[in-house]
Amino acid sequence: MIKVARTLVELHTARRELVLQHYRERHARPLVGLTPTMGALHNGHGALIARMAAECEVGIVSLFVNPRQFGPNEDYGKYPRMFGTDLALCEAAGAQLVFAPSVEVMYPEGYATTVSVAGLTETLCGASRPGHFAGVTTVVAKLLTICAPDKAYFGEKDYQQLVVIQRMAADLNLAVEIVPCPTVRDSDGLALSSRNAYLSPAEREAAPRLHQALQQLRQHFLNGETDVQRLQALGASELNCGDGPQFALEYLAIVDPQTLAPRATAQAGDRALIAARLGPARLIDNLAL
Ligand code: AMP
Protein backbone atom coordinates (compact mmCIF):
# COMPACT_ATOMS: atom_id res chain seq x y z
CA MET A 1 0.00 0.00 0.00
CA ILE A 2 1.32 3.45 -0.91
CA LYS A 3 1.98 5.73 2.08
CA VAL A 4 0.69 9.30 2.32
CA ALA A 5 2.47 12.02 4.32
CA ARG A 6 0.80 15.38 4.89
CA THR A 7 3.22 16.97 7.35
CA LEU A 8 7.02 17.24 7.54
CA VAL A 9 7.17 14.79 10.46
CA GLU A 10 5.06 12.27 8.57
CA LEU A 11 7.24 12.65 5.48
CA HIS A 12 10.52 12.26 7.38
CA THR A 13 9.21 9.26 9.35
CA ALA A 14 7.87 7.48 6.26
CA ARG A 15 11.03 8.22 4.24
CA ARG A 16 13.26 6.89 7.04
CA GLU A 17 11.16 3.71 7.37
CA LEU A 18 11.38 3.02 3.65
CA VAL A 19 15.17 3.59 3.66
CA LEU A 20 15.66 1.38 6.75
CA GLN A 21 13.47 -1.36 5.30
CA HIS A 22 15.67 -1.40 2.21
CA TYR A 23 18.83 -1.56 4.37
CA ARG A 24 17.42 -4.51 6.32
CA GLU A 25 16.39 -6.42 3.22
CA ARG A 26 19.28 -5.61 0.87
CA HIS A 27 22.14 -4.42 3.16
CA ALA A 28 22.63 -1.41 0.88
CA ARG A 29 21.65 2.22 0.75
CA PRO A 30 18.65 2.75 -1.54
CA LEU A 31 18.50 5.50 -4.14
CA VAL A 32 15.72 7.93 -3.27
CA GLY A 33 13.77 9.60 -6.11
CA LEU A 34 11.37 12.54 -6.15
CA THR A 35 8.81 13.51 -8.80
CA PRO A 36 7.31 16.92 -7.96
CA THR A 37 3.80 17.51 -9.36
CA MET A 38 0.72 19.66 -8.84
CA GLY A 39 -1.57 16.62 -9.04
CA ALA A 40 -4.35 16.12 -11.62
CA LEU A 41 -2.00 13.41 -12.82
CA HIS A 42 -2.00 12.00 -16.36
CA ASN A 43 0.24 9.58 -18.24
CA GLY A 44 2.92 12.28 -18.67
CA HIS A 45 3.34 12.33 -14.89
CA GLY A 46 2.96 8.53 -14.97
CA ALA A 47 6.00 8.23 -17.25
CA LEU A 48 8.12 10.34 -14.87
CA ILE A 49 7.01 8.25 -11.88
CA ALA A 50 7.60 4.95 -13.72
CA ARG A 51 11.11 6.11 -14.71
CA MET A 52 11.76 7.06 -11.06
CA ALA A 53 10.50 3.65 -9.92
CA ALA A 54 12.79 1.90 -12.40
CA GLU A 55 15.86 3.86 -11.23
CA CYS A 56 15.25 4.37 -7.49
CA GLU A 57 14.35 1.90 -4.73
CA VAL A 58 12.43 4.57 -2.81
CA GLY A 59 10.18 6.77 -4.98
CA ILE A 60 8.38 9.83 -3.63
CA VAL A 61 5.74 11.85 -5.53
CA SER A 62 4.79 15.28 -4.22
CA LEU A 63 1.26 16.54 -4.91
CA PHE A 64 1.04 20.25 -4.16
CA VAL A 65 -0.78 23.01 -6.04
CA ASN A 66 1.71 25.75 -5.27
CA PRO A 67 -0.06 29.12 -4.92
CA ARG A 68 3.21 31.04 -5.34
CA GLN A 69 3.64 30.04 -8.98
CA PHE A 70 0.21 31.35 -10.05
CA GLY A 71 -0.34 35.00 -10.97
CA PRO A 72 -3.27 36.91 -9.43
CA ASN A 73 -5.41 36.41 -12.56
CA GLU A 74 -4.38 32.82 -13.20
CA ASP A 75 -6.17 29.53 -12.52
CA TYR A 76 -5.05 28.66 -8.95
CA GLY A 77 -8.63 28.48 -7.67
CA LYS A 78 -9.92 26.25 -10.44
CA TYR A 79 -6.80 24.13 -11.01
CA PRO A 80 -8.13 20.52 -11.08
CA ARG A 81 -7.73 18.63 -7.79
CA MET A 82 -8.37 14.86 -7.73
CA PHE A 83 -6.49 13.26 -4.86
CA GLY A 84 -8.07 9.78 -5.03
CA THR A 85 -7.23 9.09 -8.66
CA ASP A 86 -3.80 10.73 -8.25
CA LEU A 87 -2.96 8.30 -5.45
CA ALA A 88 -4.02 5.31 -7.56
CA LEU A 89 -1.85 6.51 -10.48
CA CYS A 90 1.18 6.99 -8.17
CA GLU A 91 0.78 3.47 -6.80
CA ALA A 92 0.25 1.90 -10.23
CA ALA A 93 3.35 3.67 -11.58
CA GLY A 94 5.46 2.25 -8.73
CA ALA A 95 5.90 5.06 -6.17
CA GLN A 96 6.12 4.17 -2.46
CA LEU A 97 5.31 7.49 -0.83
CA VAL A 98 3.14 10.52 -1.62
CA PHE A 99 3.85 13.88 0.00
CA ALA A 100 0.69 16.00 -0.08
CA PRO A 101 1.26 18.98 2.20
CA SER A 102 -1.18 21.82 2.84
CA VAL A 103 -0.30 25.42 1.97
CA GLU A 104 0.25 26.03 5.72
CA VAL A 105 2.79 23.20 5.95
CA MET A 106 4.79 24.61 3.03
CA TYR A 107 4.40 28.30 3.90
CA PRO A 108 3.72 28.65 7.65
CA GLU A 109 3.12 32.02 9.22
CA GLY A 110 6.24 34.17 9.01
CA TYR A 111 7.53 32.42 5.88
CA ALA A 112 9.84 34.93 4.15
CA THR A 113 12.25 33.24 1.72
CA THR A 114 12.26 33.18 -2.08
CA VAL A 115 14.67 31.30 -4.32
CA SER A 116 15.00 32.93 -7.73
CA VAL A 117 17.15 32.35 -10.80
CA ALA A 118 18.09 35.47 -12.76
CA GLY A 119 18.23 35.82 -16.55
CA LEU A 120 16.77 32.48 -17.65
CA THR A 121 13.43 33.33 -16.02
CA GLU A 122 12.91 36.74 -17.65
CA THR A 123 12.10 35.62 -21.21
CA LEU A 124 9.57 33.25 -22.84
CA CYS A 125 6.98 32.24 -20.20
CA GLY A 126 8.67 34.51 -17.64
CA ALA A 127 7.84 37.59 -19.74
CA SER A 128 4.08 37.08 -19.43
CA ARG A 129 4.05 35.35 -16.02
CA PRO A 130 6.04 37.62 -13.65
CA GLY A 131 6.97 35.79 -10.44
CA HIS A 132 5.98 32.40 -11.85
CA PHE A 133 9.49 30.91 -11.95
CA ALA A 134 10.42 32.30 -8.53
CA GLY A 135 7.36 30.45 -7.23
CA VAL A 136 8.52 27.27 -8.97
CA THR A 137 12.16 27.44 -7.83
CA THR A 138 11.12 28.29 -4.28
CA VAL A 139 8.79 25.30 -3.98
CA VAL A 140 11.16 22.92 -5.77
CA ALA A 141 14.08 24.00 -3.55
CA LYS A 142 11.87 23.31 -0.52
CA LEU A 143 10.68 19.93 -1.84
CA LEU A 144 14.27 18.89 -2.61
CA THR A 145 15.34 19.91 0.91
CA ILE A 146 12.40 18.14 2.56
CA CYS A 147 12.55 14.89 0.56
CA ALA A 148 16.38 14.81 0.11
CA PRO A 149 16.28 12.73 -3.09
CA ASP A 150 19.32 11.45 -5.01
CA LYS A 151 17.43 12.00 -8.26
CA ALA A 152 14.53 14.29 -9.18
CA TYR A 153 12.42 13.87 -12.32
CA PHE A 154 11.15 16.74 -14.51
CA GLY A 155 9.38 16.78 -17.87
CA GLU A 156 10.77 18.39 -21.05
CA LYS A 157 7.16 19.48 -21.65
CA ASP A 158 8.01 22.46 -19.39
CA TYR A 159 11.37 23.05 -21.05
CA GLN A 160 12.15 26.48 -19.60
CA GLN A 161 11.25 25.21 -16.12
CA LEU A 162 13.61 22.25 -16.58
CA VAL A 163 16.52 24.51 -17.59
CA VAL A 164 15.80 26.91 -14.69
CA ILE A 165 15.75 24.03 -12.17
CA GLN A 166 18.99 22.59 -13.56
CA ARG A 167 20.58 26.05 -13.12
CA MET A 168 19.25 26.37 -9.55
CA ALA A 169 20.49 22.89 -8.58
CA ALA A 170 23.95 23.63 -9.99
CA ASP A 171 24.17 27.13 -8.51
CA LEU A 172 23.09 25.99 -5.02
CA ASN A 173 25.31 22.87 -5.17
CA LEU A 174 22.30 20.70 -4.44
CA ALA A 175 23.29 17.03 -4.09
CA VAL A 176 20.63 15.86 -6.53
CA GLU A 177 20.68 14.70 -10.12
CA ILE A 178 17.99 16.44 -12.19
CA VAL A 179 16.65 13.87 -14.67
CA PRO A 180 14.92 15.29 -17.79
CA CYS A 181 12.11 13.10 -19.20
CA PRO A 182 10.67 13.30 -22.74
CA THR A 183 7.23 14.83 -23.38
CA VAL A 184 4.34 12.35 -23.42
CA ARG A 185 1.68 13.10 -26.07
CA ASP A 186 -1.81 12.01 -26.97
CA SER A 187 -2.15 9.99 -30.19
CA ASP A 188 -2.90 13.23 -32.12
CA GLY A 189 0.33 14.86 -30.90
CA LEU A 190 -1.07 17.16 -28.20
CA ALA A 191 1.26 17.17 -25.19
CA LEU A 192 -0.59 15.82 -22.15
CA SER A 193 -1.33 18.58 -19.64
CA SER A 194 -3.64 18.95 -16.67
CA ARG A 195 -4.83 22.20 -18.34
CA ASN A 196 -6.13 20.32 -21.42
CA ALA A 197 -9.19 19.65 -19.22
CA TYR A 198 -10.17 23.33 -19.75
CA LEU A 199 -10.65 22.82 -23.51
CA SER A 200 -14.10 22.48 -25.13
CA PRO A 201 -14.48 19.58 -27.62
CA ALA A 202 -13.90 21.99 -30.56
CA GLU A 203 -10.82 23.50 -28.86
CA ARG A 204 -9.50 20.04 -28.04
CA GLU A 205 -9.80 19.15 -31.71
CA ALA A 206 -7.82 22.26 -32.74
CA ALA A 207 -5.21 21.91 -29.97
CA PRO A 208 -2.77 19.53 -31.79
CA ARG A 209 -1.97 22.40 -34.19
CA LEU A 210 0.36 23.71 -31.47
CA HIS A 211 2.54 20.64 -31.93
CA GLN A 212 2.00 20.64 -35.71
CA ALA A 213 3.28 24.23 -35.92
CA LEU A 214 6.52 23.14 -34.24
CA GLN A 215 6.81 20.09 -36.48
CA GLN A 216 6.31 22.24 -39.59
CA LEU A 217 8.94 24.67 -38.35
CA ARG A 218 11.37 21.80 -37.80
CA GLN A 219 10.61 20.39 -41.27
CA HIS A 220 11.42 23.77 -42.88
CA PHE A 221 14.65 23.82 -40.83
CA LEU A 222 15.54 20.31 -42.00
CA ASN A 223 14.81 21.42 -45.59
CA GLY A 224 17.49 24.10 -45.21
CA GLU A 225 15.73 27.22 -43.85
CA THR A 226 17.78 28.63 -40.96
CA ASP A 227 16.52 32.24 -40.81
CA VAL A 228 14.65 32.38 -37.49
CA GLN A 229 12.24 35.16 -38.55
CA ARG A 230 11.16 33.14 -41.57
CA LEU A 231 10.88 29.94 -39.50
CA GLN A 232 8.74 31.79 -36.93
CA ALA A 233 6.44 33.10 -39.67
CA LEU A 234 6.08 29.61 -41.18
CA GLY A 235 5.27 28.07 -37.79
CA ALA A 236 2.80 30.83 -36.87
CA SER A 237 0.93 30.49 -40.16
CA GLU A 238 0.52 26.74 -39.51
CA LEU A 239 -1.00 27.47 -36.09
CA ASN A 240 -4.14 29.17 -37.37
CA CYS A 241 -4.43 27.51 -40.77
CA GLY A 242 -7.69 25.62 -40.08
CA ASP A 243 -11.31 26.61 -39.38
CA GLY A 244 -12.74 26.55 -35.87
CA PRO A 245 -11.19 27.92 -32.68
CA GLN A 246 -8.16 30.14 -33.25
CA PHE A 247 -5.00 30.38 -31.16
CA ALA A 248 -3.70 33.67 -29.77
CA LEU A 249 0.07 33.24 -30.14
CA GLU A 250 2.12 34.46 -27.17
CA TYR A 251 5.56 33.48 -28.44
CA LEU A 252 7.24 31.18 -30.92
CA ALA A 253 10.99 31.20 -30.29
CA ILE A 254 14.12 29.34 -31.32
CA VAL A 255 16.73 29.40 -28.57
CA ASP A 256 20.02 27.97 -27.38
CA PRO A 257 19.01 24.80 -25.49
CA GLN A 258 21.07 25.65 -22.38
CA THR A 259 21.11 29.45 -22.10
CA LEU A 260 17.68 30.01 -23.75
CA ALA A 261 19.29 32.91 -25.65
CA PRO A 262 17.28 33.69 -28.81
CA ARG A 263 18.88 32.75 -32.12
CA ALA A 264 18.90 34.80 -35.31
CA THR A 265 20.08 31.76 -37.27
CA ALA A 266 18.87 28.31 -36.24
CA GLN A 267 21.31 25.44 -35.61
CA ALA A 268 20.79 21.70 -35.11
CA GLY A 269 20.11 21.02 -31.42
CA ASP A 270 18.39 24.37 -30.84
CA ARG A 271 15.03 24.31 -29.08
CA ALA A 272 11.83 25.67 -30.62
CA LEU A 273 9.30 26.73 -27.98
CA ILE A 274 5.73 27.91 -28.34
CA ALA A 275 3.05 29.33 -26.02
CA ALA A 276 -0.47 30.23 -27.13
CA ARG A 277 -3.92 30.73 -25.69
CA LEU A 278 -6.75 28.59 -26.95
CA GLY A 279 -10.08 29.55 -25.38
CA PRO A 280 -9.62 29.44 -21.60
CA ALA A 281 -6.33 27.50 -21.69
CA ARG A 282 -2.76 28.70 -22.04
CA LEU A 283 -0.87 25.87 -23.75
CA ILE A 284 2.89 25.40 -24.21
CA ASP A 285 5.00 22.96 -26.19
CA ASN A 286 8.56 22.60 -27.50
CA LEU A 287 10.72 20.51 -29.81
CA ALA A 288 14.44 20.00 -30.46
CA LEU A 289 15.56 21.03 -33.95
P1 AMP B 1 2.77 19.72 -13.23
O1 AMP B 1 1.94 18.82 -12.36
O2 AMP B 1 2.07 20.18 -14.44
O3 AMP B 1 3.47 20.79 -12.45
O4 AMP B 1 3.93 18.79 -13.80
C1 AMP B 1 4.75 18.02 -12.95
C2 AMP B 1 5.89 17.45 -13.75
O5 AMP B 1 5.37 16.63 -14.80
C3 AMP B 1 6.75 18.52 -14.43
O6 AMP B 1 8.10 18.13 -14.36
C4 AMP B 1 6.24 18.50 -15.85
O7 AMP B 1 7.20 18.93 -16.79
C5 AMP B 1 5.93 17.03 -16.03
N1 AMP B 1 4.97 16.85 -17.12
C6 AMP B 1 3.74 17.43 -17.27
N2 AMP B 1 3.17 17.06 -18.42
C7 AMP B 1 4.05 16.22 -19.04
C8 AMP B 1 4.05 15.51 -20.29
N3 AMP B 1 3.03 15.57 -21.13
N4 AMP B 1 5.12 14.76 -20.58
C9 AMP B 1 6.17 14.68 -19.72
N5 AMP B 1 6.24 15.32 -18.54
C10 AMP B 1 5.20 16.09 -18.20
Side-chain angles (χ1 to χ4, degrees):
M1 244 321 242
I2 193 160
K3 292 173 197 257
V4 178
R6 294 198 174 271
T7 65
L8 300 181
V9 171
E10 285 175 11
L11 185 278
H12 290 138
T13 306
R15 183 192 184 285
R16 192 167 52 237
E17 274 170 13
L18 287 165
V19 169
L20 283 175
Q21 187 186 341
H22 189 271
Y23 265 124
R24 278 195 297 270
E25 291 170 2
R26 312 271 184 88
H27 308 286
R29 179 186 174 286
L31 279 181
V32 177
L34 172 67
T35 303
T37 80
M38 297 204 299
L41 301 183
H42 50 63
N43 288 336
H45 301 109
L48 268 61
I49 300 167
R51 169 102 180 256
M52 169 175 75
E55 295 180 355
C56 303
E57 290 85 7
V58 174
I60 308 172
V61 178
S62 61
L63 303 177
F64 179 62
V65 186
N66 174 35
R68 290 183 176 237
Q69 70 188 72
F70 290 80
N73 299 316
E74 293 185 0
D75 53 343
Y76 176 68
K78 65 170 184 171
Y79 197 84
R81 290 157 170 90
M82 39 186 72
F83 187 70
T85 48
D86 285 349
L87 214 55
L89 190 146
C90 291
E91 181 149 36
Q96 279 84 36
L97 175 57
V98 161
F99 180 45
S102 65
V103 173
E104 292 71 31
V105 164
M106 291 301 279
Y107 305 113
E109 213 184 311
Y111 185 86
T113 300
T114 299
V115 177
S116 67
V117 173
L120 291 174
T121 58
E122 282 145 30
T123 59
L124 304 168
C125 288
S128 65
R129 304 187 73 191
H132 166 69
F133 285 112
V136 170
T137 43
T138 298
V139 80
V140 170
K142 285 172 67 67
L143 291 167
L144 292 172
T145 308
I146 294 165
C147 299
D150 301 289
K151 295 177 165 225
Y153 296 79
F154 293 89
E156 289 181 350
K157 151 85 173 27
D158 300 278
Y159 189 78
Q160 186 178 14
Q161 169 176 285
L162 170 66
V163 172
V164 167
I165 286 168
Q166 285 173 323
R167 183 79 259 160
M168 174 189 76
D171 288 355
L172 297 181
N173 311 105
L174 300 182
V176 62
E177 180 191 343
I178 304 297
V179 183
C181 302
T183 300
V184 178
R185 301 177 181 281
D186 245 333
S187 54
D188 59 8
L190 177 66
L192 298 184
S193 164
S194 309
R195 290 190 166 100
N196 294 349
Y198 300 153
L199 299 171
S200 70
E203 288 158 355
R204 175 62 190 82
E205 208 176 306
R209 290 211 301 267
L210 198 71
H211 179 52
Q212 287 156 12
L214 291 174
Q215 285 182 309
Q216 281 298 324
L217 184 156
R218 179 166 63 181
Q219 196 51 54
H220 287 292
F221 171 74
L222 294 174
N223 293 344
E225 179 62 81
T226 59
D227 181 81
V228 165
Q229 280 190 350
R230 277 200 292 273
L231 287 169
Q232 284 168 322
L234 289 163
S237 69
E238 179 70 21
L239 192 60
N240 281 324
C241 63
D243 297 332
Q246 300 290 296
F247 285 87
L249 181 63
E250 195 178 286
Y251 65 75
L252 173 52
I254 297 175
V255 302
D256 177 287
Q258 263 97 47
T259 66
L260 305 182
R263 297 282 199 208
T265 307
Q267 306 170 22
D270 281 355
R271 205 86 190 179
L273 299 98
I274 192 165
R277 289 189 176 278
L278 183 60
R282 181 181 179 279
L283 302 178
I284 59 172
D285 203 348
N286 67 87
L287 216 55
L289 291 189

